C-alpha cells in the first residue's frame, strides 16, 4: 500500500487484511484525520503478472455549532 506514491507501513491507525480466496484487499484507517486524505494505491505482483488499483480518499470536517 502507498499514499500519494509513498509506501505505508501498518501502524496503530492503519491496518491491512487480505482475503485471498475472495480476491479482496482491505485497508482500514482508524480515527481518520484531515491529512489522511489523498490517493491510496495497492500494488500486487507475482510470477503471473502484476496489478494495481488506486482510490482517492477525501476527508471533510464535521460541521460544528458555536
Amino acid at each position: 500500500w502507498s499514499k500519494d506514491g509513498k509506501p505505508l507501513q501498518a501502524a496503530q491507525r492503519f491496518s491491512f487484511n487480505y482475503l485471498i480466496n475472495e480476491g479482496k484487499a482491505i485497508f482500514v484507517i482508524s480515527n481518520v484525520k484531515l491529512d489522511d486524505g489523498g490517493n491510496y494505491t495497492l500494488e500486487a505482483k507475482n510470477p503471473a503478472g502484476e496489478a494495481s488499483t488506486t482510490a482517492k480518499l477525501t476527508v471533510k470536517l464535521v460541521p460544528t455549532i458555536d
Side-chain angles (χ1 to χ4, degrees):
W1 286 96
S2 63
K3 177 187 176 224
D4 298 328
K6 298 176 184 174
L8 285 175
Q9 301 295 323
Q12 276 188 321
R13 294 189 322 109
F14 303 123
S15 64
F16 315 109
N17 193 8
Y18 305 97
L19 307 175
I20 302 300
N21 293 335
E22 297 179 35
K24 295 180 182 178
I26 300 168
F27 175 53
V28 177
I29 304 173
S30 300
N31 301 315
V32 174
K33 299 178 181 179
L34 277 176
D35 63 351
D36 289 327
N39 292 306
Y40 289 84
T41 302
L42 169 63
E43 294 183 6
K45 299 177 185 177
N46 69 17
E50 57 186 70
S52 68
T53 188
T54 299
K56 180 179 181 179
L57 174 65
T58 301
V59 181
K60 298 181 179 181
L61 288 174
V62 176
T64 59
I65 299 173
D66 294 326

